[in-house]
């Protein structure tokens, strides 16, 4: 990545509503507290054929010990 450039994956770009080539400004946020809980709802067509406990299989490994910034309305892909 060139100096003055950043990388964002497709999910991040979609949540921030930016496109490839857009100019963005990145600012540090001071004293942002970690969230204690979030409410996650799967999209109906994305869990067809998925069995087992979705929390233990997908969400816990995705969020545990990882800094994952989220806000209301965000979509994210868990593999």
């Amino acid at each position: 990545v060139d100096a003055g450039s950043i990388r964002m994956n497709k999910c991040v770009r979609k949540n921030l509503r930016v496109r490839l080539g857009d100019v963005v400004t990145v600012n540090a946020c001071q004293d942002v507290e970690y969230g204690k809980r979030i409410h996650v709802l799967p999209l109906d067509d994305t869990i067809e054929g998925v069995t087992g406990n979705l929390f233990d299989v997908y969400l816990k490994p995705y969020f545990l010990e990882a800094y994952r910034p989220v806000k209301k309305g965000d979509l994210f892909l868990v593999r």
Side-chain angles (χ1 to χ4, degrees), residues 13-68:
R13 288 193 312 270
K14 185 173 182 179
N15 288 332
L16 293 175
R17 293 168 180 82
V18 296
R19 296 186 204 149
L20 291 173
D22 284 355
V23 176
V24 297
T25 302
V26 178
N27 297 309
C29 296
Q30 303 299 321
D31 302 323
V32 176
E33 295 183 21
Y34 284 98
K36 291 182 174 60
R37 72 175 73 180
I38 63 169
H39 189 79
V40 177
L41 298 173
L43 299 176
D44 190 35
D45 62 340
T46 63
I47 60 169
E48 290 178 4
V50 175
T51 59
N53 184 321
L54 294 177
F55 176 77
D56 288 333
V57 175
Y58 296 101
L59 295 178
K60 188 175 180 180
Y62 183 77
F63 284 107
L64 189 64
E65 302 298 327
Y67 177 70
R68 306 278 186 194

Side-chain angles (χ1 to χ4, degrees), residues 9-12 14-15 40 43 46 58-59 62-63 68 70 74-79:
N9 66 27
K10 186 176 180 178
C11 281
V12 172
K14 185 173 182 179
N15 288 332
V40 177
L43 299 176
T46 63
Y58 296 101
L59 295 178
Y62 183 77
F63 284 107
R68 306 278 186 194
V70 293
D74 278 356
L75 298 176
F76 59 94
L77 180 64
V78 179
R79 295 181 185 187

